Amino acid sequence: FVRADVPPTLLITGDRERELLGRYEENAYFYRMMKVAGHADIQLYELDGYGHGMTEPAFPLLLEFVSEKSKQAQQ
């Protein structure tokens, strides 16, 4: 799955000290490998103070990401 030609990708994790053990690090590694593979449109957010159930602060980030990518696709 690590390659340059995948759709825009958004990764959201909770705080690395409150999230499931290793979850942030897994996402950070995936993010880095995608960058190394040449994927230019990937973002990683770590939500400080939140654990795995961080849906409330994550949903606005997701909606903004989808809205932005939709606008770019229409241009």
Side-chain angles (χ1 to χ4, degrees), residues 1-3 6 30-39 42:
F1 298 109
V2 175
R3 58 185 206 270
V6 299
F30 179 63
Y31 171 84
R32 181 67 185 131
M33 291 299 99
M34 291 291 278
K35 288 292 197 178
V36 167
H39 191 297
I42 185 167

Side-chain angles (χ1 to χ4, degrees), residues 14-71:
D15 186 314
R16 67 189 80 188
E17 297 300 322
R18 300 188 63 161
E19 178 64 272
L20 299 171
L21 185 62
R23 181 61 53 101
Y24 171 79
E25 291 79 6
E26 290 172 344
N27 280 272
Y29 181 71
F30 179 63
Y31 171 84
R32 181 67 185 131
M33 291 299 99
M34 291 291 278
K35 288 292 197 178
V36 167
H39 191 297
D41 199 356
I42 185 167
Q43 297 176 28
L44 171 62
Y45 287 97
E46 177 184 5
L47 302 180
D48 291 338
Y50 290 91
H52 190 65
M54 55 18 190
T55 55
E56 176 62 32
F59 285 151
L61 295 171
L62 175 60
L63 292 173
E64 180 181 334
F65 183 82
V66 171
S67 176
E68 178 183 315
K69 300 308 167 189
S70 296
K71 287 176 186 173

